Amino acid sequence: MTVLKALREVLPGESFLYLGDTARLPYGTKSPRTITRYLQQNVSFLKSVGVKAVVVACNTASTVLKEAHLNGLPVYGVIEPGARAALAGTHAGVIGVLATRATVHSGAYEQALLAIRSDVHVVQQACPLLVPLVEEGWAHDPVTETVLHRYLTAPLEAHVDTLILGCTHYPVLKDVVQKMAGPTIRVIDSAHALAYEVAADIEAGRIPANGDGGGIQVFTTDISPSFQQLGSHILAPHAIDSWELADIRGD
Amino acid sequence: MTVLKALREVLPGESFLYLGDTARLPYGTKSPRTITRYLQQNVSFLKSVGVKAVVVACNTASTVLKEAHLNGLPVYGVIEPGARAALAGTHAGVIGVLATRATVHSGAYEQALLAIRSDVHVVQQACPLLVPLVEEGWAHDPVTETVLHRYLTAPLEAHVDTLILGCTHYPVLKDVVQKMAGPTIRVIDSAHALAYEVAADIEAGRIPANGDGGGIQVFTTDISPSFQQLGSHILAPHAIDSWELADIRGD
C-alpha cells in the first residue's frame, strides 16, 4: 500500500489494480522456490484481468525477480530503484539496508548496489519485528523505538550515511527511523524511486498511457478486515473504489 | 513444537510425525474458510503417510475443528483440553486468555469455557507481537517484558486468577508471563493437558498403542532453516530423527 500510494501520487491519471496475497503472507519467511511460484500465479491473475504492467510491491518477492518481463508483461521490482536512489546521494559510500530476514538472506540489495558501484560498503540488518509492529498499529510507540534502537546499532556503528528501508511496510516508520538515525543520515524508501521510473517509462512510450481518470481496485486472496483497515489508513487521503476476493489456486 | 515436546514426554513409547505448514504460516491472520481448507489438506497428507491419530497443535487451526474425526482419523485440538485445565483450578471464576488475533476473534476459548461452566467471566487479550518475539529469539528480553506488561494490563485489572496461554508459541514465554502476572495467578498451557488426554485414550484402547520405541520425523511444506533451528531448540533434549519436505498442493 505504501508503493501504491507513491504510484498514485506520481501517476494521477492511471488506474491501479492492487492484488494483496493475504492468504499466503508474509513472504519474508518463505523460500525463493515458493515465492517464485506465488509470484508467477499472481502475475497470471493480473494478466487475466487485463493490466498493462506489473509492479512487485514487495522487497522479498522482488528478490526472486530475474526478468524485466513475466508472462509477456513488463514487470518492476523495488530493489533496483531503491539501490539507485541510495547511490545517487551517498558521500561516504557506506549504505545500510533494513529489511526482512529473507531479503537480507538473499543479499539482493548488496548485489544491486555493488553491481552499480563496486566500492560501496553495505551493512545489512534483518528487522523481523518491524512488520508485526506496523501491523499492530504501534509505529509511533516507545516499544518500536526500543526495537529500532537495537536494529540501528550495527548500521550506525558502521557509520552509514544512507539507510534503505528495504521492506514496503517500513515507509510507515520513515519519520521514526529518521529521528533515531539523526539528521545527517538520508533515509530512502524505494516506493517513490520506483514510481518515478514507471512514470519515465510511460513518458517514453515503453508503456502506453491511460489517462482514464485513475481508479483503484483492490483484490485480496483472503478476507482480512485488519488488512482492509490498515490498507485504507496507509493510502489515505486516496480512496479505494472496490474490494474483491481473488481466487488464486491452487492453495 | 511445544505440543510435540509435551506429547514426547507423556508418551515416550509412541512415534511422532510432525507436519509444519511453514509455507503457509502463520494461520493466525487467515480466515476460517482458508484455515479449514489447509487443515483438510494437511490431515489428508498425514493419513497418506499412515498416522493413527492427529493432534492439531495450533490454537488458530483448532478453532475451526468442529469434529472429533477428520478423514476417518481421530483428531484432537488444543482448545478444549486448555479450557478444562483452566476450569479445574479457578477459584474466582475469572479466566484470562492470551492468544492471536484470529483465536480471540473466533471466541473459541470463551465458548469452550462457558459450555462447561456458564458462570465464569472470560477476559480475552489479542497478543499479535508475541509470536514474532518468540521467533526472533527474544523470549527473555526487556522488549518482550514491556510488550507483555501492556498485554497483561486488561486481564490483571479484571482480577483473573488463571491465564490460558492460547497459542502454541507461548509456552516458551510461560516463565516470563508467570513472573509478570505474579505467584497467585495460575498460568495454563494447553500442551500438557492435551497430551494427558491423548494418553488416556491410548490407555482406554480408543487409539491402538505402539510401543515401537518412539521416533520423531518432521515434515515441513517449505525449506526453513530458522524453523529448523527454533524447532530443535524448543524440542531439546529430545532429538529429531529426520527432516523432509512435504509437497502439499495445491499452492
Side-chain angles (χ1 to χ4, degrees):
Chain A
M1 284 293 175
T2 59
V3 175
L4 177 57
K5 189 176 188 180
L7 285 164
R8 166 83 302 162
E9 287 166 6
V10 173
L11 297 162
E14 295 291 330
S15 295
F16 296 95
L17 199 153
Y18 178 98
L19 171 63
D21 191 5
T22 49
R24 307 191 288 200
L25 282 180
Y27 281 15
T29 52
K30 294 177 177 60
S31 71
R33 193 189 67 123
T34 297
I35 295 165
T36 302
R37 195 167 71 240
Y38 290 176
L39 185 60
Q40 283 162 346
Q41 291 168 355
N42 295 345
V43 171
S44 292
F45 169 80
L46 290 169
K47 187 171 188 180
S48 76
V49 290
V51 304
K52 61 185 177 184
V54 174
V55 167
V56 180
C58 165
N59 282 266
T60 305
S62 296
T63 63
V64 304
L65 199 64
K66 301 295 173 214
E67 316 288 340
H69 289 79
L70 267 182
N71 289 13
L73 288 174
V75 58
Y76 296 81
V78 284
I79 308 277
E80 272 74 20
R84 281 189 283 266
L87 288 171
T90 183
H91 295 292
V94 187
I95 296 172
V97 179
L98 308 180
T100 62
R101 209 185 290 283
T103 299
V104 165
H105 192 72
S106 76
Y109 273 102
E110 190 163 31
Q111 287 159 28
L113 290 161
L114 292 174
I116 304 171
R117 200 179 131 185
S118 62
D119 67 333
V120 288
H121 177 51
V122 183
V123 182
Q124 297 193 107
Q125 175 65 48
C127 309
L129 281 166
L130 297 186
V131 168
L133 283 164
V134 168
E135 293 190 343
E136 178 72 320
W138 290 10
H140 299 89
D141 190 288
V143 169
T144 301
E145 294 198 6
T146 306
V147 170
L148 262 176
H149 179 74
R150 203 173 299 183
Y151 288 149
L152 288 173
T153 302
L156 295 182
E157 282 178 355
H159 302 293
V160 301
D161 71 348
T162 304
L163 271 172
I164 298 176
L165 300 180
C167 169
T168 52
H169 274 73
Y170 299 174
V172 176
L173 302 167
K174 191 172 183 179
D175 52 347
V176 190
V177 173
Q178 186 70 69
K179 185 181 101 177
M180 304 202 64
T184 61
I185 293 179
R186 285 190 327 136
V187 179
I188 303 283
D189 80 89
S190 303
H192 282 87
L194 166 94
Y196 287 116
E197 294 199 2
V198 175
D201 280 359
I202 290 175
E203 186 71 24
R206 284 186 289 270
I207 307 173
N210 251 20
D212 71 349
I216 295 180
Q217 278 177 277
V218 173
F219 287 84
T220 56
T221 53
D222 196 7
I223 304 150
S224 175
S226 61
F227 176 79
Q228 203 158 334
Q229 199 179 359
L230 186 64
S232 302
H233 178 72
I234 290 173
L235 207 61
H238 311 290
I240 291 162
D241 298 303
S242 68
W243 289 87
E244 286 171 69
L245 207 58
D247 193 17
I248 295 183
R249 302 288 169 128
D251 58 275
Chain B
M1 284 292 175
T2 60
V3 175
L4 178 57
K5 188 176 189 180
L7 285 163
R8 166 84 301 163
E9 287 167 4
V10 173
L11 297 161
E14 296 291 331
S15 295
F16 297 94
L17 199 154
Y18 178 99
L19 172 63
D21 191 6
T22 49
R24 305 189 290 200
L25 282 180
Y27 281 17
T29 50
K30 294 176 178 61
S31 72
R33 194 189 68 123
T34 297
I35 295 165
T36 302
R37 195 167 74 238
Y38 290 175
L39 185 60
Q40 283 162 346
Q41 291 168 354
N42 294 345
V43 171
S44 292
F45 169 80
L46 290 169
K47 188 172 188 180
S48 75
V49 291
V51 305
K52 61 185 177 183
V54 174
V55 167
V56 180
C58 165
N59 281 266
T60 306
S62 296
T63 62
V64 303
L65 201 64
K66 302 294 174 215
E67 317 286 340
H69 289 78
L70 266 183
N71 288 14
L73 289 174
V75 58
Y76 297 83
V78 285
I79 308 275
E80 272 74 19
R84 281 190 282 267
L87 288 171
T90 182
H91 296 292
V94 187
I95 296 172
V97 179
L98 309 180
T100 62
R101 210 186 288 283
T103 298
V104 165
H105 192 73
S106 76
Y109 273 103
E110 190 163 31
Q111 287 160 29
L113 290 161
L114 292 174
I116 305 172
R117 203 181 128 184
S118 62
D119 67 333
V120 288
H121 177 51
V122 183
V123 183
Q124 298 193 108
Q125 175 66 49
C127 309
L129 281 166
L130 297 186
V131 167
L133 283 164
V134 167
E135 293 189 343
E136 178 71 319
W138 290 9
H140 299 89
D141 190 287
V143 170
T144 302
E145 294 199 5
T146 306
V147 171
L148 262 176
H149 180 74
R150 203 173 299 184
Y151 287 149
L152 287 174
T153 302
L156 294 182
E157 282 179 355
H159 301 294
V160 301
D161 71 348
T162 304
L163 271 173
I164 298 175
L165 301 180
C167 169
T168 52
H169 274 73
Y170 300 174
V172 175
L173 302 168
K174 191 172 182 178
D175 53 348
V176 190
V177 173
Q178 186 70 68
K179 185 182 101 179
M180 303 201 64
T184 62
I185 293 179
R186 283 189 328 135
V187 179
I188 304 284
D189 80 270
S190 303
H192 282 86
L194 165 95
Y196 287 116
E197 295 199 3
V198 176
D201 280 359
I202 291 175
E203 187 70 23
R206 284 187 286 272
I207 307 173
N210 251 20
D212 72 347
I216 295 180
Q217 279 177 275
V218 173
F219 286 84
T220 56
T221 52
D222 196 7
I223 305 151
S224 174
S226 62
F227 176 79
Q228 202 158 336
Q229 198 180 358
L230 186 65
S232 301
H233 178 72
I234 290 173
L235 207 62
H238 311 289
I240 291 161
D241 298 304
S242 67
W243 290 88
E244 286 170 69
L245 207 57
D247 193 17
I248 295 183
R249 302 289 170 126
D251 61 275

